[in-house]
Amino acid sequence: MKEQEDQTVDEQKEPNQYSRREMLKMSLLTGAGVAISMSGIGALTSMTNVFGETVKKSGSSSEKDIISFYGKHQAGIVTPQQTYTYLAAFDFTTSSKGDVIRLLKQWTLLAESMSQGKADHKYSNDWLPPKDTGEALDLPPSRLTLTFGFGPSFFSKKGIDRFGVKRKSPKHLKDIPLMPRDNLQEPFIGGDFCVQACAEDQQVAFHAIRNFIKSAVGKAEVRWMQSGFISAKHGKTPRNLFGFKDGTANADPKDSKAHEQIIWAGDEEPAWMNGGSYMAFRKIKMFLEVWDRSSLKDQEDTFGRKKESGAPYGKINEHDKVNPIQMPPDSHTAIAKRTGQQIYRRAYSYTDGVDPKTGYVDAGLLFISYQKNPAEQFIPMLKKMSKADKLNEYTQHIGSAMFAMPRGIKKGEYIGQPLFDSF
Amino acid sequence: MKEQEDQTVDEQKEPNQYSRREMLKMSLLTGAGVAISMSGIGALTSMTNVFGETVKKSGSSSEKDIISFYGKHQAGIVTPQQTYTYLAAFDFTTSSKGDVIRLLKQWTLLAESMSQGKADHKYSNDWLPPKDTGEALDLPPSRLTLTFGFGPSFFSKKGIDRFGVKRKSPKHLKDIPLMPRDNLQEPFIGGDFCVQACAEDQQVAFHAIRNFIKSAVGKAEVRWMQSGFISAKHGKTPRNLFGFKDGTANADPKDSKAHEQIIWAGDEEPAWMNGGSYMAFRKIKMFLEVWDRSSLKDQEDTFGRKKESGAPYGKINEHDKVNPIQMPPDSHTAIAKRTGQQIYRRAYSYTDGVDPKTGYVDAGLLFISYQKNPAEQFIPMLKKMSKADKLNEYTQHIGSAMFAMPRGIKKGEYIGQPLFDSF
């Protein structure tokens, strides 16, 4: 994520947050939608910081705490990156298009209410399982976003048009071809459908995925699920587990012109993908112990950037223009730059305990990037990196998937609806 | 953790946080210790909330953000529970007492500086590996605590007094006996030494454990490592992944008299344990899918408490007095209450992706409790629960360990020093 120079302190977490319960109560009392009824509540118009500067507080924390589920594009893509994620892939166990639509409708309702910090906690009948699993009952919305996509196997599996939508296949949706150094490990390969849950609170993100899994019984099952985290304060670029800033080259989250060029698919795609994007996922194991024993020079030569500042070789500041001639030709930054392509990164770190085979920490990067045309943007970059990137000495790709993420959802629609509507 | 009625909003995260880098700079400029130099910086004396109430802000956020590493007792035990944890067990690979002491000294220095959000980021020599791994460089201290303990195998392994301290063994340190339903799985059994890192930020907690692992090379290696999370706002009791409040029965974090009775060992122990405690650890798998299909009545009967409010059966509020006669005799709360014993819980939830054997979510509870006498407090409770707890239908214990946590560390001492000092 590019440094957001325009981010002010009012983007940070506020002490005056309202719990799901309190918001639900207020919403019932006022009879108005929660997001609207919360406007202004908790707002501080201004405060003075230690340097004597007046810091404007432009909105309420609760308003900031809710990311709208609806819009031209799906939330969770150019949304400033939240601290925690659960990424999950599902496989449909049903062969009925009606079942798929019913589940997508159910997931839409869940996603809408959970992004507002609401959940169906009516315990009217003791003899039935509770509708919601309950672990997020007292928690604020925490900027939860839920972002959805369809994998290649959704449209065609063993040559079969499973749900009658093959004719509406997205233009560039293919499994990522196997790279020479890949060591992909089941179950982290592909999937019919993906859900990316991101929030400022791990429990809120997990709660969302879990309730998706719960509601899918009989129609779909979870194929893989992976939690991840980043951390960066004051709009700084987060650091990955090699201690380097990750996402410096990203377009600014507010630069919608750049987003059109890099992220959002246009009318070259079927209507349901116009305004959508492709998510490339790679689970990349990072050999932390090996890295930690390598010299600072080796580390910086590997990235082509200074560790502390993030500046490219030959420059002073993180966002200074990259000149590949000024850095080792096999450095990560030089190779990425030389492809002449741009992607939009939204990566998270992961840890999976200790690897029983090596005794080393099992950790790495959930590489997630969004692009409008993976065939032109992501795949050529991956191919070049797979061959020549100096970073390969310290990493191994162990998971891989590609998903077509539909355009944003309009109120009253369900996820991916224009894919299923007859035409 | 008991509801902290006295917790005010100033306990929450503040926007005016200072990064490690900024604090280091300020500390260099003023020539004073960071913790001291930060006093008052960022402080707002008061602000008005939406209800027109004046909310007192008693200290600076940065001050609140640092938990002192020193004290009569170790931090991270009665410290109000942070949101994230990494719990790790180490085995010593050295047989030299001198090596152990050198490592404990190194870990002490690391723990002291990391709890203040400082790290040794001098990149003076490019040809050496950086001292710190760097991923927390820009992050605030985030209430990081590091809590240490020795396992039974540290004092005696296969009958050998490995480090010449067997005569100073703690009175009650023994491996937890195998329970009839246990399904313990390597590597989550025991360990020579444990480190509990807790923080409001997962990356900060991981960074701490990782730098402990890094500095241990040649002397100790990590046996197991597990991340965990909870979430509770406004001083509420956190909910576990069954959606029930977890830790209601705990003594108030400020009730030092209760802590003396329940948590802190006294002069019945060798001096290094006087003011220390015992940590009982159980990794408890929770069958979420089974639970989610059971009725609300079954769920509440299992705990003997109402799900939403946390109130014990027959009562109204969470903290109302438990009367075991008013709830099913095999309910979790009834059985715990009938033991007549108290422990101090500090549990976290965990998720480990999808279990490849069952296709179910692999998740549960990192049960962590502190007590002064596990033989009287924890073990009898565990035995009774292992036999009769209705919760056993939905859970399985898959990891187990017990550690003796030394008394707090004085400035200038190293972790566990009085254990090694000659007498």
Side-chain angles (χ1 to χ4, degrees), chain A residues 166-178:
Chain A
K166 200 179 165 186
R167 59 193 172 159
K168 286 193 185 180
S169 290
K171 219 175 151 189
H172 303 292
L173 185 63
K174 277 190 192 135
D175 286 321
I176 297 170
L178 195 72

Side-chain angles (χ1 to χ4, degrees), chain A residues 17 42 50 84 86 126-128 133 137-138 201-203 210 231 234 239 241 292 296-297 351, chain B residues 17-18 42 50 84 86 126-128 137-138 201-203 210 231 234 239 241 292 296-297 307 351:
Chain A
Q17 287 181 342
V50 277
Y84 298 95
Y86 275 85
D126 283 7
W127 301 92
L128 288 175
T133 55
L137 182 59
D138 317 303
D201 183 306
Q202 189 177 353
Q203 188 148 326
R210 181 197 185 172
S231 187
H234 306 295
R239 290 178 187 272
L241 296 184
D292 288 346
L296 178 61
K297 186 174 185 312
T351 65
Chain B
Q17 287 179 341
Y18 290 83
V50 278
Y84 297 95
Y86 275 85
D126 283 8
W127 301 92
L128 289 175
L137 182 59
D138 316 303
D201 183 307
Q202 188 177 352
Q203 188 149 326
R210 181 200 186 170
S231 188
H234 306 295
R239 288 178 189 273
L241 296 183
D292 287 347
L296 178 61
K297 186 174 183 314
K307 189 168 189 177
T351 66

Side-chain angles (χ1 to χ4, degrees), chain B residues 395-415:
Chain B
T395 60
Q396 188 169 66
H397 290 226
I398 59 172
S400 183
M402 178 76 77
F403 299 99
M405 319 298 279
R407 66 157 168 79
I409 294 147
K410 292 175 196 164
K411 255 193 183 158
E413 273 188 356
Y414 62 87
I415 300 154

